[in-house]
Amino acid sequence: MQKTTHILNAASNLLGITLLIIAGLHISDHAQKTLADEVAWVSALCFCASCGLSYLSIRSAAPMDRWDGWADRSFLTGIVTLVVAVLVLAL
């Protein structure tokens, strides 16, 4: 349960940062010029899934390591895609 709460906290914070990046790209009119917007959306979806799966793991009556594992995988995928989005934007 300890790992799940950390994943939920970190995923929700990174979801906010990802949505801020997406909003910044749209406000500055760079969304059409680069692929970073689409990659950041994939990252946001991964972080949303990670938040949902972590919440399910916390709320389940019996320990559900299955939800933990999927939340962890989704979180890691979100981090990787967020890094790719930043690299696409920087290059």
Side-chain angles (χ1 to χ4, degrees):
M1 177 118 147
Q2 185 73 10
K3 181 172 85 169
T4 304
T5 57
H6 289 299
I7 291 172
L8 180 59
N9 185 24
S12 62
N13 288 332
L14 287 173
L15 175 62
I17 291 170
T18 305
L19 293 176
L20 187 65
I21 290 170
I22 293 169
L25 285 171
H26 281 278
I27 289 172
S28 65
D29 268 347
H30 281 63
Q32 290 81 20
K33 300 174 189 172
T34 182
L35 191 63
D37 179 46
E38 286 80 10
V39 178
W41 274 112
V42 172
S43 180
L45 289 174
C46 288
F47 288 133
C48 281
S50 182
C51 287
L53 292 168
S54 296
Y55 180 76
L56 283 175
S57 178
I58 291 170
R59 296 294 295 171
S60 65
M64 297 293 275
D65 291 333
R66 177 179 48 156
W67 297 124
D68 267 348
W70 283 106
D72 199 21
R73 288 181 197 99
S74 176
F75 180 73
L76 184 60
T77 305
I79 288 176
V80 169
T81 55
L82 182 60
V83 168
V84 169
V86 170
L87 288 175
V88 167
L89 187 61
L91 300 176

